[in-house]
Amino acid sequence: MTELNCRLAIEADLAALCQFYQDICAHQKDDQFGADWHWGIYPSEKDIAEAIAQKRAVVGIKDGKIASAGILTVGNDPLYSKFAWPTPAEDNEIAVLHLYGVHPSFRRQGLSSVLLTFIKDQAKKLGCKSIRLDSMNGNVPACRLYEKNGWRFVSQETVYYDDIGDCKVDLLELAL
């Protein structure tokens, strides 16, 4: 198995990273489980470009292609502020993982844990005490992946997303 090269995305990655997310969005119709993303709304090229400029986009490169990616922000997501979280932390000590995915061509190769370890290290370097995320309710493979990598189920809640409205999600947190 070729090693996964994990790093922060750079401006030159913009087109490839946009294509990565477009491919995932297009493939969702074939997935039993998925994030229910809508290219152009969430995620969008503007979102990706902004994440790259702010050094928040992380990528895992295999065979010269983006195999996995995510956006790591610092500061509690406003969607999460009303929920109780087990790890006490100030806003600037909370990281949130968004848009985490593996390209359909690279799934089932054990790559997710490699990029998630890189993301944990990045959050620690940023002085964070935890990483929070949500997964669509019922996305058992995603929850298993996160739990295998140290995240713990916190609660099931309803959140509102601009592109899909109210939806039930599983909240997960990794204490660092």
Side-chain angles (χ1 to χ4, degrees):
M1 181 166 92
T2 305
E3 187 175 306
L4 189 69
N5 176 24
C6 300
R7 61 175 173 76
L8 292 175
I10 57 174
E11 193 174 321
D13 294 322
L14 179 60
L17 195 50
C18 287
Q19 188 61 57
F20 168 87
Y21 284 114
Q22 289 174 42
D23 291 349
I24 288 177
C25 288
H27 195 269
Q28 288 176 132
K29 67 184 179 335
D30 300 322
D31 291 337
Q32 179 180 0
F33 304 102
D36 198 14
W37 297 335
H38 300 90
W39 177 254
I41 301 171
Y42 183 79
S44 69
E45 183 173 349
K46 180 183 175 210
D47 296 335
I48 305 304
E50 182 179 297
I52 291 171
Q54 295 178 355
K55 300 190 181 326
R56 295 182 295 147
V58 294
V59 293
I61 308 292
K62 181 175 179 182
D63 301 332
K65 297 178 181 162
I66 298 176
S68 57
I71 308 293
L72 185 68
T73 60
V74 175
N76 199 18
D77 190 302
L79 291 174
Y80 300 163
S81 62
K82 63 184 174 187
F83 305 123
W85 293 87
T87 305
E90 297 296 320
D91 198 54
N92 66 340
E93 298 172 324
I94 300 165
V96 179
L97 181 57
H98 308 269
L99 291 169
Y100 183 79
V102 176
H103 191 278
S105 303
F106 290 96
R107 291 181 182 166
R108 293 179 176 60
Q109 297 182 28
L111 302 178
S112 286
S113 293
V114 178
L115 187 58
L116 288 173
T117 297
F118 177 80
I119 288 167
K120 291 178 209 177
D121 292 342
Q122 287 297 115
K124 287 177 187 175
K125 286 179 189 175
L126 294 168
C128 294
K129 292 183 177 179
S130 72
I131 304 174
R132 298 173 179 174
L133 60 85
D134 69 69
S135 178
M136 297 298 280
N137 178 248
N139 189 342
V140 175
C143 286
R144 280 189 190 142
L145 167 72
Y146 293 126
E147 289 174 348
K148 176 180 133 188
N149 284 279
W151 271 262
R152 296 291 169 246
F153 175 82
V154 174
S155 61
Q156 183 182 93
E157 304 291 348
T158 299
V159 297
Y160 178 83
Y161 284 111
D162 291 338
D163 60 334
I164 55 176
D166 283 333
C167 61
K168 286 202 178 291
V169 297
D170 295 330
L171 300 179
L172 295 107
E173 181 181 64
L174 173 71
L176 298 173

